[in-house]
Amino acid sequence: MRHRNILLLSLASLFMLSAFTPRRTGKPMVPKAVRKQYLEVPAGEAFIGGDRIPVEAFFLSRSEVTNIAYREYIADLKRNGDSSALAIAMPDTAQWTTTIAFCEPLRVHYNSHPAYDNYPVVNVGQQAAAAYCTWLASKLNDIAPEGTSYVVRLPSRAEWVRAAQGSKGRSAYAWGGPYTRNSKGCFLANYRAEQGDTLEAAARFHDNADITAPVASYFPNDFGLYCMNGNVAEWLQEPDLAAGGSWRDVCADIRNESVTTVTGPAPTVGFRPLVEVVVAQ
């Protein structure tokens, strides 16, 4: 069952907030203007296969980057006349029709229509996702308090798995159990119905999501992060690698440890930025 969409603060409004009260004592924080969107993942371990990988603390977007947020990035590049960056950033909307049948309306409307504002941006390559992170870092650093700066990037696989696993350790899924439905039979993620499901089960399975679902769908994990399993796979720092599986994957392929090799933009792949807070000594 899907949670009601949370209201995400638009970046356009965010960057008008040049005045905020920075936290001068205690642990480093992200700017107040984005504090509801970027949640702390405390230091801990990522469990991958038989390995325990230590991971330092960081902040991670509570959801995948949305179409509306990405459009603001595109608009900023256009205002600045950055044609080379714009060529990299533009979504390859043709992927809707070259990889999936009967998706012409999505090719036309998915990235631009307000109905899809809070859906995850897709069809952007790894280079474009990394460039968005660099752009976002420049915006955050414009409002950084003295002595603090921000590094924004894609997470490594170990960081992403640490965030997905939360406090659940070696659990297969972000919600902490081995199953993809709860005790009431409600699906806990957006993924592909498996062969043998009845039509009724398939209809309930998508929970009204024929393709992607809004970024704040289903239940967040105990760090407050949405859709770490399914919906869209998410670009990692490692070349051509995305984590977490997508709406076109079966449940076995949307686990916390699931990775997919992707060589370019795809309608099944989005991303979420990681923020490091750097405090001058």
Side-chain angles (χ1 to χ4, degrees):
M1 180 174 293
R2 181 178 306 145
H3 269 217
R4 187 175 62 182
N5 289 357
I6 59 172
L7 294 177
L8 301 179
L9 180 65
S10 76
L11 290 175
S13 300
L14 184 162
F15 302 138
M16 295 174 64
L17 299 175
S18 59
F20 62 91
T21 304
R23 183 171 296 187
R24 296 292 186 181
T25 59
K27 59 187 177 182
M29 298 292 289
V30 293
K32 185 178 180 181
V34 294
R35 208 163 288 167
K36 290 183 179 180
Q37 178 62 28
Y38 286 86
L39 305 180
E40 184 179 20
V41 176
E45 293 180 317
F47 299 90
I48 302 177
D51 297 327
R52 300 163 64 105
I53 303 171
V55 176
E56 296 296 324
F58 57 89
F59 291 86
L60 192 66
S61 176
R62 72 163 57 204
S63 69
E64 299 134 348
V65 171
T66 61
N67 281 316
I68 190 170
Y70 200 80
R71 286 204 302 272
E72 288 165 357
Y73 168 50
I74 296 293
D76 197 48
L77 295 180
K78 289 180 178 178
R79 282 192 298 269
N80 294 327
D82 195 339
S83 57
S84 59
L86 191 61
I88 294 170
M90 289 300 293
D92 183 4
T93 59
Q95 292 298 320
W96 280 115
T97 52
T98 57
T99 60
I100 309 172
F102 309 114
C103 283
E104 178 64 18
L106 295 173
R107 184 191 69 79
V108 175
H109 299 297
Y110 183 84
N111 290 96
S112 59
H113 196 283
Y116 294 103
D117 279 355
N118 287 322
Y119 284 66
V121 67
V122 296
N123 292 321
V124 296
Q126 191 174 39
Q127 185 181 6
Y132 175 94
C133 291
T134 300
W135 170 82
L136 180 57
S138 71
K139 297 301 183 182
L140 295 183
N141 283 315
D142 284 345
I143 59 173
E146 185 177 354
T148 300
S149 62
Y150 305 101
V151 176
V152 186
R153 57 177 174 81
L154 298 174
S156 68
R157 186 187 180 196
E159 289 167 333
W160 195 95
V161 170
R162 163 65 181 149
Q165 290 174 337
S167 63
K168 307 299 184 182
R170 293 188 182 277
S171 175
Y173 300 102
W175 47 85
Y179 306 111
T180 53
R181 283 188 270 183
N182 65 16
S183 59
K184 296 182 179 180
C186 297
F187 285 83
L188 299 172
N190 182 20
Y191 61 97
R192 179 164 63 86
E194 301 195 43
Q195 188 175 6
D197 279 348
T198 64
L199 290 177
E200 179 185 3
R204 285 192 301 110
F205 145 80
H206 276 303
D207 196 19
N208 298 323
D210 294 327
I211 47 162
T212 57
V215 295
S217 299
Y218 306 95
F219 295 101
N221 74 354
D222 56 2
F223 287 164
L225 304 171
Y226 285 88
C227 290
M228 296 299 285
N229 308 111
N231 208 27
V232 292
E234 299 176 12
W235 285 118
L236 300 174
Q237 270 193 335
E238 289 84 351
D240 300 332
L241 208 62
S246 78
W247 58 277
R248 294 196 82 192
D249 292 313
V250 296
C251 61
D253 294 328
I254 66 165
R255 295 171 296 115
N256 294 334
E257 295 185 39
S258 296
V259 289
T260 307
T261 299
V262 189
T263 57
T268 55
V269 182
F271 67 101
R272 74 177 76 210
L274 176 152
V275 178
E276 294 179 87
V277 182
V278 181
V279 179
Q281 299 298 318

